[in-house]
Amino acid sequence: MVTAAQQTASAPDAPRTFPKGFLWGSATASYQIEGAATEDGRTPSIWDTYARTPGRVRNGDTGDTATDHYHRWREDVALMAELGLGAYRFSLAWTRIQPTGRGPAVQKGLDFYRRLVDELLEKGIQPVATLYHWDLPQELEDAGGWPERATAERFAEYTALAADALGDRVKTWTTLNEPWCSAFLGYGSGVHAPGRTDPVAALRAAHHLNLAHGLAVQALRDRGRADAQCSVTLNIHHVRPLTGGDADADAARRIDALANRVFTGPMLRGAYPEDLLKDTAHLTDWSFVRDGDLEQARQPLDFLGVNYYTPTVVSQADGSGVHTSDGHGNSPYSPWPGADRVAFHQPPGETTAMGWAVDPTGLYDLLRRLSSDFPRLPLVITENGAAFDDYADPEGRVNDPARIAYVRDHLAAVHRAIVDGADVRGYFLWSLLDNFEWAHGYGKRFGAVYVDYPTGTRIPKASARWYSEVARTGVLPGA
């Protein structure tokens, strides 16, 4: 018997209905939107330091003001309610809560998040709190940062402070956002904060992020609500070999280990993959992994957060380390330790303003793979979206048909994956607002809501209205 869902999936132009209870939301990150960089006890994070260093961020932009969400949070929550969002994924600024990364919490910082969460709940919007979205306290970086074990221990203490303050309000928690970027862009290629370029430090950071995740889950379960939902968000790379040859297949295997299994191995299986250890043995003996670490890193999760934007295409190289087409920024230093013989290639077809290929089949393939590898672990798309060169017309409207097409096609891929057996529970559009886009500064606009940076004025784009209708009805219209 052919089900209605299967009939819908086989007709690409037909509307698609998502399962009842599917969670529709949008997402942001603290440093990208909050601003108020020195208010109420907040001290510098590594991103404050990095952005204020000449030459690090395009146009010398910083997050000092960002979109001023710290003062305009009530307006932003009203926008979410107007758009009919069921959930909002945001991150806590570690230095706003615990300025030095040690000691007691600052109540003014916690009060900001208490007010935000209370307003979300009053509007019927589920808060989804991310504990770490790349803004490590600068004092902890000065003490060694993520390459040092003590940082993972400090993270567990900070998690306990957040859970004590918000655990009666926040049901759903994410420990880390994209630890691959924290480790390999922050400590390998240096295109993200703190801007270090040491491949061994990058591997050490990856391990201590794994450990920090496990310790944080334990702290959340010890201090949070009995029904707390715990997760981690990974930017799982969908890696494809350029050709069907054995050499390119091995290049894809090598990058899959460094991009994906370096985290899914410890977090979800309790072990690092043997091929990763072998590939990097000339750099380190991994002696920084202590007895019991992997048991600590592997904690039961309620779902896995998946961030996807574009696939990764690789081939065997000649040893020149051609990594500048990996989509993660230009640097003479590679974020891929032990992968000097891998080249990255721009996938064919349409691209976004980031230069990333638009390919929703990669999301479908990724969800199917994760469902196969971890069949009892639900999935949530915690980030998906695109940057385009948006502008407000003379009437104050922002029309962004390319973004609507991007989101529609990727949601169609999600729906197809669900029909084919993937347990996908929700989708968070990146991002709610145009914001500070890391090393790109304010030059790349991912938001469903346009922000006029000089005035802070918010203008919902055409895509926001379109997404609002999908979120309200749970039905994806046909093309």
Side-chain angles (χ1 to χ4, degrees), residues 207 210-211 265-267 269-272 289-299:
H207 174 65
N210 281 322
L211 178 60
M267 290 181 182
R269 301 190 188 280
Y272 283 105
V289 180
R290 297 184 185 175
D291 290 345
D293 282 3
L294 296 174
E295 289 78 8
Q296 294 271 36
R298 185 187 186 188
Q299 297 295 320

Side-chain angles (χ1 to χ4, degrees), residues 41 104 128-129 187 190 195 240 244 250 267 285 287 315 340 427 443:
V128 178
Y187 294 92
R240 291 171 170 162
D250 188 66
M267 290 181 182
D285 61 4
S287 58
S315 69
D340 293 340
Y427 177 93

Side-chain angles (χ1 to χ4, degrees), residues 89 126-132 155 159 171-179 212-214 216-218 220-221 228-234 267-268 297 299-307 377-382 428:
R89 177 176 173 256
Q126 179 179 326
V128 178
T130 297
L131 287 158
Y132 186 75
F155 184 67
T159 298
K171 178 181 178 181
T172 306
W173 295 86
T174 295
T175 56
L176 308 171
N177 179 80
E178 297 186 352
H213 157 76
V217 172
Q218 293 177 63
L220 287 169
R221 298 202 188 282
Q229 300 283 301
C230 295
S231 68
V232 66
T233 283
L234 303 178
M267 290 181 182
L268 303 180
Q299 297 295 320
L301 297 179
D302 296 288
F303 66 89
L304 175 65
V306 179
N307 291 358
L377 184 60
L379 306 172
V380 172
I381 309 302
T382 39
F428 288 78

Side-chain angles (χ1 to χ4, degrees), residues 85-136:
L85 299 184
Y88 173 51
R89 177 176 173 256
F90 61 98
S91 74
L92 309 178
W94 190 343
T95 61
R96 200 176 290 289
I97 293 173
Q98 194 186 36
T100 66
R102 299 179 178 84
V106 172
Q107 290 305 311
K108 285 186 177 180
L110 286 173
D111 285 345
F112 167 70
Y113 295 111
R114 290 185 179 110
R115 291 191 297 269
L116 173 64
V117 169
D118 286 347
E119 188 77 3
L120 290 167
L121 293 172
E122 183 178 323
K123 300 293 187 184
I125 301 168
Q126 179 179 326
V128 178
T130 297
L131 287 158
Y132 186 75
H133 199 129
W134 308 351
D135 44 2
L136 183 72

Side-chain angles (χ1 to χ4, degrees), residues 249-259 261 275-276 279-280 282 336-342:
D250 188 66
R253 174 206 60 77
R254 190 178 293 263
I255 296 304
D256 180 62
L258 282 167
R261 290 181 285 122
D275 60 328
L276 171 69
D279 290 343
T280 57
H282 64 292
W336 305 102
D340 293 340
R341 294 186 61 82
V342 175

Side-chain angles (χ1 to χ4, degrees), residues 115-474:
R115 291 191 297 269
L116 173 64
V117 169
D118 286 347
E119 188 77 3
L120 290 167
L121 293 172
E122 183 178 323
K123 300 293 187 184
I125 301 168
Q126 179 179 326
V128 178
T130 297
L131 287 158
Y132 186 75
H133 199 129
W134 308 351
D135 44 2
L136 183 72
Q138 183 60 45
E139 288 201 23
L140 292 186
E141 173 59 25
D142 293 342
W146 284 113
E148 299 301 320
R149 170 176 297 270
T151 305
E153 296 165 351
R154 299 292 82 74
F155 184 67
E157 295 166 2
Y158 151 68
T159 298
L161 294 176
D164 285 346
L166 301 171
D168 62 336
R169 298 166 168 87
V170 176
K171 178 181 178 181
T172 306
W173 295 86
T174 295
T175 56
L176 308 171
N177 179 80
E178 297 186 352
W180 184 86
C181 295
S182 297
F184 296 100
L185 300 184
Y187 294 92
S189 66
V191 299
H192 277 194
R196 289 162 61 179
T197 54
D198 179 345
V200 176
L203 293 169
R204 290 175 60 93
H207 174 65
H208 294 130
L209 285 156
N210 281 322
L211 178 60
H213 157 76
L215 294 174
V217 172
Q218 293 177 63
L220 287 169
R221 298 202 188 282
D222 289 344
R223 312 294 279 267
R225 298 189 338 190
D227 59 348
Q229 300 283 301
C230 295
S231 68
V232 66
T233 283
L234 303 178
N235 55 322
I236 304 286
H237 291 59
H238 179 60
V239 186
R240 291 171 170 162
L242 182 65
T243 72
D246 291 344
D248 288 358
D250 188 66
R253 174 206 60 77
R254 190 178 293 263
I255 296 304
D256 180 62
L258 282 167
N260 303 327
R261 290 181 285 122
V262 65
F263 297 109
T264 60
M267 290 181 182
L268 303 180
R269 301 190 188 280
Y272 283 105
E274 288 296 326
D275 60 328
L276 171 69
L277 303 182
K278 182 178 178 182
D279 290 343
T280 57
H282 64 292
L283 296 170
T284 177
D285 61 4
W286 291 76
S287 58
F288 47 82
V289 180
R290 297 184 185 175
D291 290 345
D293 282 3
L294 296 174
E295 289 78 8
Q296 294 271 36
R298 185 187 186 188
Q299 297 295 320
L301 297 179
D302 296 288
F303 66 89
L304 175 65
V306 179
N307 291 358
Y308 173 87
Y309 293 93
T310 190
T312 300
V313 178
V314 299
S315 69
Q316 185 182 50
D318 57 7
S320 59
V322 186
H323 61 269
T324 54
S325 295
D326 65 2
H328 296 298
N330 294 329
S331 169
Y333 301 94
S334 174
W336 305 102
D340 293 340
R341 294 186 61 82
V342 175
F344 292 79
H345 302 270
Q346 175 68 34
E350 179 188 357
T351 60
T352 69
M354 296 291 288
W356 298 344
V358 177
D359 188 346
T361 67
L363 179 55
Y364 171 84
D365 292 342
L366 178 58
L367 294 173
R368 293 289 290 150
R369 173 195 170 177
L370 290 170
S371 296
S372 175
D373 289 350
F374 308 104
R376 289 175 294 278
L377 184 60
L379 306 172
V380 172
I381 309 302
T382 39
E383 286 183 28
N384 177 242
F388 293 103
D389 296 323
D390 304 318
Y391 61 91
D393 68 19
E395 287 72 38
R397 298 170 301 194
V398 182
N399 293 309
D400 54 343
R403 182 173 290 102
I404 292 174
Y406 179 100
V407 177
R408 182 193 63 232
D409 292 348
H410 283 76
L411 281 173
V414 174
H415 185 271
R416 179 185 167 210
I418 292 172
V419 169
D420 290 346
D423 185 6
V424 186
R425 304 282 181 90
Y427 177 93
F428 288 78
L429 178 66
W430 184 269
S431 174
L432 176 69
L433 304 167
D434 289 339
N435 54 44
F436 177 84
E437 185 50 39
W438 308 114
H440 297 279
Y442 294 100
K444 305 297 181 185
R445 293 181 177 271
F446 275 89
V449 176
Y450 182 90
V451 176
D452 178 67
Y453 292 118
T455 66
T457 300
R458 276 85 159 128
I459 304 172
K461 303 175 187 177
S463 62
R465 304 300 184 192
W466 179 91
Y467 183 64
S468 173
E469 185 65 18
V470 176
R472 289 179 191 280
T473 64

